[in-house]
Amino acid sequence: MSQAVIGGVLLAIIGILLILRPHGVWKATERWKLLGSAEESPAFVMVTRIVGAVLAAIGLLVCFGVLK
């Protein structure tokens, strides 16, 4: 397996996790900054899923050799 394929797979996995678990990403990255029982905003969830979709698409394109 080449480094490009491994990198593409990692990007795709991270992207899929961002799409499926935006609440977990918020808890891991933003929750500690807030006091009380704060929750993530709908905008954060939407942007996280969009970024995840872009990363997954780029990862798949790298895996299939379209991007180098």
Side-chain angles (χ1 to χ4, degrees):
M1 232 187 235
S2 72
Q3 292 177 347
V5 173
I6 293 171
V9 169
L10 289 175
L11 276 178
I13 290 171
I14 291 169
I16 291 169
L17 287 175
L18 288 174
I19 293 169
L20 297 178
R21 303 291 295 178
H23 306 289
V25 172
W26 180 83
K27 286 180 183 178
T29 61
E30 302 295 325
R31 185 175 182 193
W32 65 273
K33 298 177 188 176
L34 305 169
L35 298 174
S37 61
E39 292 186 8
E40 66 276 1
S41 68
F44 179 87
V45 173
M46 181 181 64
V47 169
T48 303
R49 285 187 171 151
I50 291 170
V51 169
V54 170
L55 284 178
I58 291 172
L60 291 173
L61 290 174
V62 169
C63 282
F64 292 122
V66 177
L67 294 176
K68 294 182 182 183

